[in-house]
Amino acid sequence: VIGADKVAEIVRVNGVEDATISYLDRGLHFGDGLFETIACRQGAPRFLPLHLERLALGCARLRFPAPDLQALGAEIQMLAQGVDRAIIKAILTRGVAVARGYGISGTEKATHITIRYPWPSEDPSAMHQGVQVGTLTLRLSESPLLAGLKHCNRLEQILARAECSERSLVEGILFSTSGKLVSGTMSNLFLVHGSAIRTPLLDRCGVTGVMRRVVMREAARAGIPVQECDLSEADLRNADELFLTNARIGIWPVRSLDERPMTPGPMTRHLQEVMTPLLEDSRVERA
Amino acid sequence: VIGADKVAEIVRVNGVEDATISYLDRGLHFGDGLFETIACRQGAPRFLPLHLERLALGCARLRFPAPDLQALGAEIQMLAQGVDRAIIKAILTRGVAVARGYGISGTEKATHITIRYPWPSEDPSAMHQGVQVGTLTLRLSESPLLAGLKHCNRLEQILARAECSERSLVEGILFSTSGKLVSGTMSNLFLVHGSAIRTPLLDRCGVTGVMRRVVMREAARAGIPVQECDLSEADLRNADELFLTNARIGIWPVRSLDERPMTPGPMTRHLQEVMTPLLEDSRVERA
């Protein structure tokens, strides 16, 4: 596989090492799949039950053949073993097409792919000093049936990342076609307003990130009011602090929005402290 | 390949027969690809230049590495040779990922896949008596950057086809989230109002089908006024006649809309007659 050695360390396709993908796989033809990007530390996948739970939700919503998520979880755990840091991507497609066209026959057998990637090199300043973000011109389309899912229809995110690259932004903030605040291109977004945190309701677009969920849970446990709601550009501009979350990065403060400096503030710092033990050692995770 | 023998006759991946797909292909991970479904008759692909033109437009819009479309066209022509009827699907993806994540490096090399399928068995009544269609509850998301393209992000069409199956509809009519009439799940839609034909403007969603384009061109040549515009549910309900187009079927009259009977009328019949020589023999196609 061209380039594969530079990118991925191990792959299993339907449990078989180094297998290839059928040219009839519906994942390839239609993006008819779901995925999870799982951060692994000290030999264990972080927040694995939450990743599998989102995958199960996606399977139900997209009417996938019921996958054996327990076996998939065991495979992910096995791939994570003995490695200090790694990223495991699990892809689940509806499987090889049994006929031409979009239609589902109901007899498809899901394809599951697990790929272990090295943990990328990181700029430690992102976590400490924060990152520069900008609002993007691209607007995300609204599709309630697909909202929240980490599905494999990602052309919008690809074009949004291209806009970030052109503008030298670490992350870009996205609005929906109806003007609602949604997320970053590869992260969820939180706004701090006074002593409360708010994050966009993702009922029309966006991905309900696992780290977003953990941060909401931990904030609530720490007595911080958490609101999941429709948010506008004005809400974004009026926030006291902004921070980004995803499965790998944990929490990144925002240090500038469209070139306007912002100071990573006390709420972001507090939540980073609350999260640190959960991120450093998978065994600390509570049920 | 499981099931492949039942579905496809021949495949080439980057020109190589029976090759498989890399598990790192961006088409698989993100639906980061484009496709064309080309009807072949008497050993030749129908309207090949128009298919390649749409593919070129898609490549530019999605910032794909410039593909050799002339070579791809030649491969499609070769696959069509010696076969009376076939469907050739050409898929072009951005290629194997050179890094993890959505970002484009600019060094990707496109993957091109050509698959020849047998021409499906057809119910001749569809073309003559027409088909039963219904308006679907699923609404298509609006994404101007992707509108018109035959890209590989097709989860909405898959769910829409599932709705058709459940309701035993040959085809389902789709509206966008903002209530605009768009198309069928696998066809474009034309409305006949008096002596003119109208078809939805596809600037926010939908696929600008090759057959749609040919019908618009041939109608204009025959002196029939053709309008491409925003259309509503009321426009749909008030149409004198409705017909569907796609690359394989040509023109199908609609004989009922949401169980209200409609008569395939004179305009639909006239356009079917105009189109017949173009559909029966690829050599008749004008430049």
Side-chain angles (χ1 to χ4, degrees):
Chain A
V1 173
I2 302 157
D5 54 340
K6 290 183 289 186
V7 177
E9 296 174 334
I10 297 185
V11 61
R12 283 169 193 257
V13 178
N14 292 330
V16 179
E17 213 165 320
D18 290 327
T20 50
I21 306 299
S22 165
Y23 61 86
L24 290 177
D25 199 283
R26 293 178 57 106
L28 175 73
H29 284 242
F30 306 129
D32 192 7
L34 297 159
F35 70 107
E36 294 291 330
T37 305
I38 304 156
C40 304
R41 295 294 272 269
Q42 297 171 292
R46 210 155 67 182
F47 308 120
L48 181 60
L50 299 184
H51 284 287
L52 295 177
E53 199 178 296
R54 181 172 56 183
L55 208 50
L57 175 73
C59 288
R61 198 99 71 81
L62 299 183
R63 307 162 185 228
F64 271 26
D68 185 343
L69 291 179
Q70 208 173 350
L72 181 61
E75 185 173 305
I76 292 165
Q77 283 176 315
M78 196 197 55
L79 282 183
Q81 268 169 29
V83 184
D84 185 48
R85 291 177 172 218
I87 304 293
I88 293 179
K89 181 167 179 175
I91 304 174
L92 192 72
T93 80
R94 200 184 305 271
V96 173
V98 296
R100 204 178 56 79
Y102 300 133
I104 307 168
S105 75
T107 61
E108 292 86 3
K109 291 187 179 69
T111 302
H112 69 271
I113 304 160
T114 49
I115 306 173
R116 196 179 78 203
Y117 297 90
W119 193 281
S121 59
E122 280 173 335
D123 178 357
S125 77
M127 196 185 165
H128 299 296
Q129 281 89 61
V131 293
Q132 298 183 304
V133 307
T135 52
L136 301 185
T137 57
L138 184 146
R139 298 271 166 141
L140 291 174
S141 63
E142 299 184 343
S143 186
L145 272 173
L146 301 178
L149 304 184
K150 206 163 170 83
H151 57 67
C152 293
N153 277 197
R154 291 294 159 202
L155 282 168
E156 290 185 325
Q157 280 66 34
I158 290 166
L159 295 174
R161 282 306 308 162
E163 194 181 337
C164 292
S165 297
E166 274 163 19
R167 294 170 52 190
S168 301
L169 298 169
V170 172
E171 179 59 301
I173 303 301
L174 290 157
F175 295 88
S176 73
T177 48
S178 73
K180 294 192 168 67
L181 184 62
V182 182
S183 65
T185 64
M186 52 174 202
S187 61
N188 289 113
L189 175 67
F190 284 83
L191 286 58
V192 180
H193 285 112
S195 59
I197 63 172
R198 302 162 86 187
T199 192
L201 181 67
L202 301 175
D203 60 344
R204 297 195 189 186
C205 46
V207 176
T208 52
V210 161
M211 192 61 66
R212 170 181 182 271
R213 186 169 162 190
V214 175
V215 167
M216 289 170 74
R217 182 191 70 191
E218 294 300 318
R221 282 180 177 168
I224 300 162
V226 181
Q227 208 186 347
E228 201 182 1
C229 56
D230 280 345
L231 293 166
S232 67
E233 180 161 2
D235 293 317
L236 176 73
R237 306 271 175 220
N238 294 331
D240 302 323
E241 306 171 31
L242 297 175
F243 63 88
L244 305 169
T245 62
N246 87 14
R248 175 173 65 84
I249 68 178
I251 293 177
W252 276 355
V254 168
R255 73 177 167 95
S256 72
L257 172 66
D258 290 332
E259 293 170 23
R260 181 171 67 86
M262 298 191 73
T263 308
M267 177 65 86
T268 304
R269 295 303 186 203
H270 177 50
L271 286 168
Q272 281 186 315
E273 274 165 39
V274 168
M275 291 296 295
T276 296
L278 295 176
L279 300 181
E280 289 302 318
D281 186 345
S282 312
R283 289 164 298 182
V284 177
E285 168 64 0
R286 289 169 277 180
Chain B
V1 172
I2 303 158
D5 55 339
K6 289 183 292 186
V7 176
E9 295 174 335
I10 298 185
V11 61
R12 283 169 193 257
V13 179
N14 292 329
V16 179
E17 212 165 321
D18 289 327
T20 49
I21 306 298
S22 165
Y23 60 87
L24 291 177
D25 199 283
R26 293 178 57 106
L28 174 73
H29 284 242
F30 306 129
D32 192 7
L34 297 159
F35 70 107
E36 294 292 330
T37 305
I38 304 157
C40 303
R41 294 295 272 269
Q42 298 171 291
R46 211 156 63 183
F47 309 120
L48 180 60
L50 300 184
H51 284 287
L52 294 177
E53 200 178 298
R54 181 172 57 182
L55 208 50
L57 175 74
C59 287
R61 198 99 72 80
L62 300 183
R63 306 161 186 232
F64 271 26
D68 185 343
L69 291 180
Q70 207 173 352
L72 180 61
E75 185 173 306
I76 292 165
Q77 284 176 313
M78 195 198 55
L79 282 183
Q81 269 169 27
V83 184
D84 185 47
R85 289 178 175 218
I87 304 292
I88 293 178
K89 181 168 179 176
I91 304 175
L92 191 71
T93 81
R94 200 184 304 271
V96 173
V98 297
R100 204 178 57 79
Y102 299 134
I104 307 168
S105 76
T107 62
E108 292 87 2
K109 290 188 180 67
T111 301
H112 69 271
I113 304 160
T114 49
I115 306 173
R116 196 180 76 205
Y117 297 89
W119 192 282
S121 59
E122 282 173 333
D123 179 355
S125 76
M127 196 185 165
H128 299 296
Q129 280 88 62
V131 295
Q132 297 183 304
V133 307
T135 53
L136 301 185
T137 58
L138 185 146
R139 297 271 166 144
L140 291 174
S141 63
E142 299 184 341
S143 186
L145 272 172
L146 300 178
L149 304 184
K150 207 163 169 83
H151 58 68
C152 294
N153 277 198
R154 292 291 158 205
L155 281 169
E156 290 185 324
Q157 280 68 33
I158 291 166
L159 295 174
R161 281 306 308 164
E163 194 181 339
C164 291
S165 296
E166 275 164 19
R167 294 169 52 191
S168 300
L169 297 169
V170 172
E171 180 57 304
I173 303 301
L174 290 157
F175 295 89
S176 72
T177 48
S178 72
K180 293 193 169 66
L181 185 62
V182 182
S183 65
T185 63
M186 53 173 201
S187 63
N188 288 114
L189 175 66
F190 284 82
L191 286 59
V192 180
H193 284 111
S195 60
I197 63 173
R198 301 163 87 187
T199 192
L201 181 66
L202 301 176
D203 60 343
R204 297 194 188 187
C205 47
V207 176
T208 52
V210 160
M211 194 59 67
R212 171 181 181 271
R213 186 168 161 190
V214 175
V215 167
M216 289 170 75
R217 182 191 70 189
E218 295 301 317
R221 281 179 179 170
I224 299 162
V226 181
Q227 209 186 347
E228 201 181 0
C229 55
D230 280 345
L231 294 167
S232 67
E233 181 161 4
D235 294 317
L236 176 73
R237 305 272 174 218
N238 294 331
D240 302 321
E241 307 170 30
L242 297 175
F243 63 88
L244 305 169
T245 62
N246 86 13
R248 176 174 64 84
I249 66 178
I251 293 177
W252 275 356
V254 169
R255 73 177 165 97
S256 72
L257 172 66
D258 290 330
E259 293 171 22
R260 181 172 68 85
M262 298 191 73
T263 308
M267 176 67 84
T268 304
R269 295 304 184 202
H270 177 50
L271 287 168
Q272 282 185 315
E273 274 166 40
V274 167
M275 292 295 296
T276 296
L278 296 176
L279 301 181
E280 289 303 316
D281 185 345
S282 311
R283 288 164 298 182
V284 177
E285 168 64 2
R286 288 169 278 180

